[in-house]
Amino acid sequence: MSEHEHGPREPGRTCAGARLHIVTGKGGTGKTTVAAALARALASDGGRVLLVEVEGRQGVSTLFGVPPLPYEEREIDSVPGGGSVFALAADAEAALMEYLEMFYGIRRAGQALTRLGAVDFATTIAPGLRDVLLTGKATEAVRRREGGRRRPEGPFRYDAVVMDAPPTGRIGRFLNVNSEVAGLARVGPIRNHADRVMEVIRSERTRVHFVSLLEEMPAQETRDGIAEISDLGLRVGMVVVNMVRPSLLSEAGLAAAAAGEIDLEALATGLKAARLDDADALSVSLAREVTAHALRVRLERRVRGELADTGAPMLDLPLVEGGVGRAALEALTRRMIEQGVRL
């Protein structure tokens, strides 16, 4: 039986103790924003957290208002409480050159391969190679200790690593790197590298978090993704329900509006009392909007129930009007902390 069926219900307990947080979600759900807020929340108690982007979109740099990220770890934010967020834009081509130098001592040959387009060709015909290189950067950061090999028992360089991972439709294949490289290499450095990556991904200190909206398509992809990750033997973290909108009516008002039982005469009277022009026509238009709101709330509650049936703990983040800027990112971080998210 999978962990999420009997695991802790609170989001904070799911995050506590984990060192690798993999964040996925359907496109348009705000996955990168959630990953950024999670990294800041985890750093809020004075921790050092690395935020890894693997899709090459530079969404992290845009969120934090910093120049485009190079292929190197750099500090991008100081969090109240003394913590720091570092970021890395992982790149398969740069990772491959680093890999060639590390295991074969042929960085110049790697640079020549890049000029010839061979690196892109290799990762195109063998997409599993690209995935193992990208996941390898995150898992290496999880294992890395201060002092490197000279101090194998020294403190970890980072208290946690957050990966802004590919969407749910590709997350299983992306994380199941052992299967993906099986046809490429059964022995040797590549296979050994994949084994080390999977050792971290399968670790009890790794969690895969899903970002969803209270809409049918994102919720269905979330449920499918949770089932896929569980079948792979990986540990599901929390479901982050993003862009949550408050209900504007009482329970009685919602029921009446959903049933189309809005008192147009009373509504028009109220609008006239507010000295609004053409109150009768406006009351009809407003009634339609109220009914649509009530039906949306009913749908969202049904979708929430379906997400709750997965057994994964759920965390809510509000809809941010006008786009996510620095102030909004800080507010989302606070909401995560209020719901118990900690190292």
Side-chain angles (χ1 to χ4, degrees):
M1 189 167 290
S2 65
E3 176 178 309
H4 70 261
E5 291 176 301
H6 286 300
R9 298 289 299 178
E10 300 84 357
R13 289 180 59 193
T14 295
C15 292
R19 290 190 30 77
L20 176 59
H21 300 264
I22 299 166
V23 181
T24 184
K26 178 177 169 56
T29 59
K31 171 176 63 70
T32 299
T33 299
V34 170
L38 176 58
R40 297 187 82 251
L42 293 171
S44 63
D45 286 333
R48 294 166 60 93
V49 177
L50 176 66
L51 176 57
V52 181
E53 184 177 46
V54 299
E55 295 187 277
R57 295 185 294 106
Q58 289 291 341
V60 169
S61 62
T62 301
L63 272 175
F64 284 89
V66 298
L69 299 171
Y71 182 69
E72 65 180 37
E73 296 161 20
R74 59 171 52 179
E75 185 173 356
I76 61 169
D77 196 18
S78 295
V79 181
S84 299
V85 175
F86 294 74
L88 169 69
D91 176 78
E93 181 178 287
L96 180 57
M97 288 195 292
E98 184 177 74
Y99 177 86
L100 291 173
E101 181 179 30
M102 182 183 304
F103 291 103
Y104 300 103
I106 53 173
R107 185 176 183 85
R108 289 184 178 179
Q111 292 171 337
L113 288 172
T114 299
R115 288 194 296 272
L116 292 171
V119 173
D120 188 58
F121 174 73
T123 55
T124 298
I125 64 172
L129 176 59
R130 178 180 294 275
D131 291 346
V132 77
L133 290 169
L134 294 174
T135 53
K137 287 302 299 179
T139 56
E140 182 277 327
V142 171
R143 296 191 308 267
R144 192 188 317 152
R145 294 180 182 271
E146 296 287 6
R149 297 179 181 178
R150 295 171 298 171
R151 296 185 60 197
E153 301 302 321
F156 286 110
R157 171 68 174 169
Y158 295 108
D159 296 294
V161 175
V162 177
M163 182 196 297
D164 179 17
T168 45
R170 204 169 79 79
I171 192 63
R173 182 173 181 178
F174 178 77
L175 295 178
N176 194 25
V177 294
N178 258 357
S179 173
E180 291 300 304
V181 303
L184 300 176
R186 299 188 182 277
V187 296
I190 293 179
R191 183 65 197 205
N192 293 339
H193 182 60
D195 288 342
R196 285 195 298 273
V197 169
M198 284 309 301
E199 181 180 351
V200 174
I201 290 176
R202 292 186 183 278
S203 165
E204 62 181 13
R205 302 192 74 180
T206 294
R207 296 289 184 274
V208 183
H209 306 296
F210 290 82
V211 183
S212 183
L213 305 180
L214 292 177
E215 298 174 3
E216 290 183 333
M217 287 290 289
Q220 181 62 56
E221 284 205 17
T222 295
R223 297 198 301 274
D224 292 344
I226 287 174
E228 181 181 25
I229 289 300
S230 298
D231 288 343
L232 291 174
L234 308 183
R235 288 167 172 78
V236 175
M238 58 186 172
V239 171
V240 179
V241 182
N242 198 21
M243 306 184 199
V244 175
R245 293 172 288 188
S247 173
L248 304 177
L249 300 173
S250 66
E251 289 301 315
L254 284 171
E261 298 173 352
I262 298 175
D263 189 337
L264 287 176
E265 184 177 347
L267 186 58
T269 299
L271 294 174
K272 289 174 182 176
R275 299 177 182 243
L276 295 177
D277 295 333
D278 201 5
D280 291 328
L282 184 58
S283 66
V284 173
S285 177
L286 185 56
R288 291 197 191 101
E289 292 188 20
V290 171
T291 298
H293 170 76
L295 293 174
R296 177 180 60 77
V297 170
R298 177 179 289 182
L299 171 65
E300 289 177 346
R301 289 179 176 178
R302 177 174 62 79
V303 171
R304 181 182 289 278
E306 293 170 351
L307 289 172
D309 287 342
T310 65
M314 296 170 64
L315 181 149
D316 282 7
L317 292 178
L319 175 67
V320 176
E321 301 287 354
V324 180
R326 179 71 191 192
L329 184 58
E330 292 175 355
L332 295 175
T333 300
R334 288 193 296 272
R335 290 296 293 269
M336 281 196 166
I337 295 170
E338 290 167 0
Q339 294 174 74
V341 172
R342 291 284 195 281
L343 283 171

